[in-house]
Amino acid sequence: MNVLVWLAEGTWEAAASAAARLAPADARITLLHVVDPAAAAEVTGAWTGLLGRGHRDPAPAMTVLSDAAERDLLAAAAAQLDRPAETAVRRGRTEHEVIAACNELGAELLVVARDGDRTRVGPRSLGRHTRFVVDHAPCPVLLVWPAQPLVTTPPPPPPPPPHHGGPR
């Protein structure tokens, strides 16, 4: 079985832990991290907006820091997994890269951690990238909580639409 574990900042521990506990012993596990280059562009734009064009562009320094943080994250996830795993690093729109990795690596299971509002147990417990991945994954998805949800009951259903007393 090919298991792909999507490691995202803030929730990677839960995804790696779930894979360690639940993936079959003979599973081929790949740890995936994705960086969206648009984030560096946002930093550059903010830097320029705050300090003007005459200052040094922070993008190269941000790339070095990002690459080091990524290596640390992958190493920590591999240590938590405590069994052999491959790593995959991708650059691009996060949600599209996760789906592409599933297809290219032949994933038979994708492990993902919720990254949205922990006070909700429904769809809002997923961030926009995670929602896209869950909706478009070409394989089964194991969706785990990064920590205990703060609420365990779903919200009440919405009220019925008002009756518009017109002719029937």
Side-chain angles (χ1 to χ4, degrees):
M1 170 179 262
N2 285 336
V3 178
L4 182 62
V5 183
W6 175 23
L7 306 174
E9 287 77 6
T11 61
W12 68 266
E13 295 97 335
S17 177
R21 285 188 330 271
L22 302 171
D26 62 344
R28 177 177 165 236
I29 299 177
T30 303
L31 303 172
L32 170 68
H33 186 255
V34 180
V35 173
D36 188 342
E42 291 174 10
V43 169
T44 299
W47 183 270
T48 302
L50 288 171
L51 300 175
R53 295 174 194 245
H55 294 278
R56 188 172 50 105
D57 181 6
M62 291 298 298
T63 299
V64 169
L65 292 172
S66 175
D67 290 350
E70 181 174 62
R71 282 190 302 276
D72 291 347
L73 183 146
L74 288 166
Q80 183 171 337
L81 194 59
D82 197 28
R83 64 167 133 172
E86 298 175 20
T87 60
V89 173
R90 298 182 70 106
R91 302 288 182 261
R93 285 187 59 185
T94 303
E95 64 276 24
H96 292 219
E97 292 300 325
V98 173
I99 298 302
C102 286
N103 286 319
E104 291 170 19
L105 298 173
E108 297 171 271
L109 177 67
L110 173 63
V111 181
V112 178
R114 293 175 183 270
D115 59 350
D117 183 354
R118 286 185 42 227
T119 64
R120 296 185 172 261
V121 293
R124 293 185 191 213
S125 68
L126 302 177
R128 66 184 175 98
H129 300 307
T130 305
R131 166 58 44 202
F132 183 94
V133 168
V134 167
D135 288 346
H136 295 89
C139 61
V141 176
L142 173 59
L143 186 60
V144 298
W145 285 96
Q148 196 63 19
L150 300 175
V151 173
T152 58
T153 57
H163 179 64
H164 294 292
R168 293 186 189 217

